[in-house]
Structures are given as C-alpha cells and as structure tokens.
C-alpha cells in the first residue's frame, strides 16, 4: 500500500487480550486517532482506559459504532453475529468491519447477511494468544512473528481486504489468506484439539484428587507446560466448540483412534512400535521448535 493507512475513529467491541492488544498497536503505530472501546463490564473498560488502550468507552453499541471507520469485533465467537446484528443500523457507509474469531466458517455464514450495503466485512483470525483474558492481559507485542489468517469470500471487497492486511502487518504478524473451511480444519487440529486435551487431562487428575489422593501436588514442569492452556477462558472455549463442532468432532475422533492404538501397543508391550511412535512425534516437534526458535511454546 502506497500511503500510510489512517482511521479517524476505530470502534473495538471486546477489549480483552486480542482486541486490547490490537488497539495498542493501532495507537502506537498512529493508525487510529480515536479508539472507542465497547463492552459489557465497566471494570474492564475502566481498566482499558486507565492503561491507555482506548481513548473512551461506552456500553451502548449504537453510540460506540456511530461514525466509526473501522470496527473490530473481538468478543467470544458465539457473540460475533449478534454483536454485528445490533451494530448494523449504526454502521456508516464505507466502514470496514473485521473480526478476530477463532472459527471462521460459521462466523462468515452468520455475519455476511447482516452486513449493510456499502459496509465491508473482512473475516480474520490472529494466531496468537495467552491463557490470560481481559484488558489487563493485553500487550502490543502479542502478534509479532505470529500468523494472522484472513479468510475472504467472493463477496469480500479487495480494498477492504488490503486495509485489514495492512493493519495486521503493522502488528508484526505474517498475514496468510486462505478459505474458511481450510482454516477451521487446520485450527481444529493445532489449537482447538490441544485445548480439549488439556482440559481433559487436568480433569482426569482432578478425578484422582476427588478420590482423596493429592496427585496434583506431585506434578512437575511437564504437567504445567502441557496444561497451561487449560487456564484459558471457559466461555471462549465453549463458544469455539459450538462454532467449529463438525471439524472438532472429526479431529477428536482421529485423536481417539490414535490414543486407542497407543493403548493397544502398551497392552501388547510392543516397545519397538512405541519407540517408533514416540520417535516420529519427537522429530516433528523438534523440527517445529528448530524452525520457530523465538516463538512462545
Ligand atoms: P477476552 O480477553 O476474554 O476478551 C473478550 C472481551 O469481550 C472481554 O473484554 C469481554 O468484556 C468482552 N465481551 C464478551 N462478551 C461480550 C458481549 N456479548 N458484548 C460485548 N463485549 C463482550 O478474550 P480474547 O482472548 O481477547 O478473545 C476474544 C476473541 O478473540 C474471541 O472471538 C476469540 O475466539 C478470539 N481469539 C482468541 C485468542 C486467544 O488465544 N485468546 C486467539 C485468537 C483469537 P466484558 O466481559 O466486560 O464485556
């Protein structure tokens, strides 16, 4: 893009980890003059203003979106369409609406019919996060070196797509464009399934705790590393399960088959086959770390 991109008014609904971190970049890079935060809880919005993430806030969607040039929807995925439905009458022609939801197919299907004539919707998903939530968790370096996936459809305006690409590149992310179905299949495997496993693993040990054995106090670094993402927001992750249900079920079935076959090898005491299984996983994981040495685990 030739000249630097600038928006007079940016409205961000959901000033949490993802929306708040993006707001900090828009401010630091001079991409936005005025950032209005919209949310439900006063405490989070007040924190966001105190931390310099937003210029002002409102809990009134109409007031927040009025005259915005860019709208970022950063609420849990199940609430994205409802948010846009409420916002639609207040969006001005030419406004760009983008989201950051972790599921793309269902969001696009729900949101596309709600977008008024002359308003442009670009679906996106930054592949970055921590297990923390809310404005206090936001930091501007969150996206550096991470991927951000944009999933345009045939209806997506090419100019709006380029502007959203520019915004994400300004965060330090590498922008990748793909279709929503591919996004949902890949993310089910590398993000949604690991969260399901982490929650299940912690609850499995929780069952042992419930039987009166304090197993958790014996857990070491490995257990904590592996289960870090089980501290993620239950609301966000239950929404993701609902919105990416078909892909997630397929991925869970594939995982269950693998676990069953591992169980059979353990039962048979087939150590050679176990070594081969573990060796394959070790070399895949080692090459991931070797190729991305600076990434957070
Ligand atoms: P978060 O830190 O919990 O922030 C979500 C924000 O949305 C909160 O500030 C919450 O504030 C607000 N909110 C929730 N429901 C709302 C509603 N109905 N109306 C208005 N505001 C509402 O969550 P996050 O991690 O930033 O996730 C936000 C989005 O980013 C989700 O769609 C998620 O799928 C996506 N995402 C997350 C990650 C990740 O790893 N965390 C990565 C990439 C994408 P109040 O409760 O005060 O309203």
């Amino acid at each position: 893009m030739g000249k630097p991109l600038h928006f007079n008014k940016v409205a961000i609904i959901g000033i949490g980890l993802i929306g708040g971190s993006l707001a900090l970049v828009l401010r630091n890079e001079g991409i936005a003059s005025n950032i209005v935060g919209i949310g439900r809880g006063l405490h989070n919005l007040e924190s966001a203003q105190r931390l310099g993430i937003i210029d002002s806030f409102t809990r009134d969607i109409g007031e927040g979106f009025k005259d915005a040039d860019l709208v970022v929807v950063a609420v849990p995925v199940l609430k994205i369409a409802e948010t846009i439905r409420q916002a639609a009458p207040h969006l001005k022609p030419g406004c760009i609406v983008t989201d950051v939801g972790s599921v793309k197919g269902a969001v696009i299907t729900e949101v596309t019919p709600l977008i008024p004539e002359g308003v442009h919707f670009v679906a996106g998903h930054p592949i970055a996060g921590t297990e923390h939530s809310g404005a206090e968790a936001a930091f501007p370096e969150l996206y550096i070196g991470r991927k951000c996936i944009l999933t345009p459809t045939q209806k997506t305006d090419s100019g709006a797509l380029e502007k959203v690409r520019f915004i994400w590149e300004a965060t330090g992310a590498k922008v990748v464009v793909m279709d929503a179905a591919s996004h949902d299949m890949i993310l089910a495997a590398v993000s949604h399934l690991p969260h399901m496993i982490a929650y299940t693993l912690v609850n499995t040990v929780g069952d042992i705790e419930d039987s009166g054995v304090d197993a958790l106090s014996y857990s070491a670094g490995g257990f904590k590393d592996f289960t870090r993402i089980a501290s993620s927001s239950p609301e966000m992750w239950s929404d993701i399960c609902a919105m990416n249900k078909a892909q997630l079920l397929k991925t869970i079935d594939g995982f269950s088959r693998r676990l069953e076959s591992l169980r059979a090898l353990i039962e048979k005491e087939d150590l050679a086959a176990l070594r081969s299984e573990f060796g394959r996983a070790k070399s895949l994981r080692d090459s991931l770390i070797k190729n991305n040495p600076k990434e957070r685990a």
Side-chain angles (χ1 to χ4, degrees), residues 60 69 98 103 119 121 191 197 226 236 270 290:
D60 179 330
D69 305 295
T98 189
V103 179
V119 172
F121 177 59
S191 172
I197 298 170
F226 190 93
M236 179 176 131
D270 187 343
K290 195 172 153 212

Side-chain angles (χ1 to χ4, degrees), residues 209-252:
E209 291 270 315
D210 289 348
S211 74
V213 179
D214 181 15
L216 271 179
S217 69
Y218 294 93
S219 64
F223 186 83
K224 291 201 182 88
D225 284 354
F226 190 93
T227 58
R228 176 180 61 80
I229 53 180
S231 292
S232 303
S233 156
E235 183 188 10
M236 179 176 131
W237 282 95
S238 54
D239 278 19
I240 289 171
C241 291
M243 295 289 273
N244 202 20
K245 177 177 159 183
Q247 280 302 338
L248 186 52
L249 289 180
K250 257 194 225 172
T251 314
I252 289 175

Side-chain angles (χ1 to χ4, degrees), residues 11-287:
I12 304 183
I13 183 157
I15 305 292
L17 171 69
I18 299 295
S21 298
L22 180 60
L24 285 166
V25 175
L26 294 177
R27 170 187 295 289
N28 294 351
E29 296 298 317
I31 295 171
S33 303
N34 172 22
I35 303 179
V36 179
I38 305 149
R40 299 169 304 183
L42 206 52
H43 175 73
N44 187 60
L45 292 167
E46 282 171 350
S47 299
Q49 192 173 29
R50 180 175 38 81
L51 292 166
I53 297 172
I54 52 177
D55 295 294
S56 59
F57 63 79
T58 173
R59 289 190 287 175
D60 179 330
I61 284 192
E63 185 191 324
F65 288 152
K66 190 168 163 272
D67 296 327
D69 305 295
L70 173 70
V71 163
V72 179
V73 183
V75 298
V77 277
L78 213 49
K79 287 46 174 213
I80 292 175
E82 176 54 22
T83 299
I84 292 179
R85 193 186 63 71
Q86 289 179 38
H90 310 281
L91 297 173
K92 74 172 186 187
C95 170
I96 295 174
V97 178
T98 189
D99 79 306
V100 296
S102 306
V103 179
K104 297 275 56 95
V107 166
I108 291 171
T109 304
E110 290 180 0
V111 166
T112 304
L114 304 172
I115 298 294
E117 197 60 36
V119 172
H120 308 299
F121 177 59
V122 180
H125 177 206
I127 312 297
T130 72
E131 66 278 27
H132 305 297
S133 311
E136 305 220 349
F139 59 103
E141 299 84 11
L142 176 64
Y143 303 111
I144 294 174
R146 312 310 297 255
K147 287 192 174 71
C148 177
I149 302 179
L150 302 181
T151 57
T153 65
Q154 285 182 338
K155 286 185 116 182
T156 306
D157 179 83
S158 57
L161 176 64
E162 283 317 299
K163 287 180 182 169
V164 174
R165 175 196 286 276
F166 177 96
I167 289 165
W168 283 110
E169 284 176 350
T171 68
K174 290 179 207 135
V175 173
V176 180
V177 173
M178 67 171 72
D179 64 88
S182 302
H183 168 279
D184 290 351
M185 186 266 287
I186 293 169
L187 269 292
V190 298
S191 172
H192 307 170
L193 178 67
H195 280 80
M196 299 307 112
I197 298 170
Y199 285 130
T200 308
L201 177 58
V202 174
N203 284 338
T204 303
V205 179
D207 291 344
I208 298 172
E209 291 270 315
D210 289 348
S211 74
V213 179
D214 181 15
L216 271 179
S217 69
Y218 294 93
S219 64
F223 186 83
K224 291 201 182 88
D225 284 354
F226 190 93
T227 58
R228 176 180 61 80
I229 53 180
S231 292
S232 303
S233 156
E235 183 188 10
M236 179 176 131
W237 282 95
S238 54
D239 278 19
I240 289 171
C241 291
M243 295 289 273
N244 202 20
K245 177 177 159 183
Q247 280 302 338
L248 186 52
L249 289 180
K250 257 194 225 172
T251 314
I252 289 175
D253 289 346
F255 179 78
S256 302
R257 282 193 296 276
R258 280 223 153 258
L259 197 58
E260 271 305 313
S261 76
L262 187 69
R263 187 189 184 287
L265 295 180
I266 295 169
E267 197 164 41
K268 279 194 290 184
E269 297 182 23
D270 187 343
L271 299 193
L274 285 173
R275 274 195 292 271
S276 154
E277 275 290 294
F278 301 159
R280 177 179 177 230
K282 175 172 163 45
S283 73
L284 275 172
R285 156 92 175 141
D286 287 352
S287 66

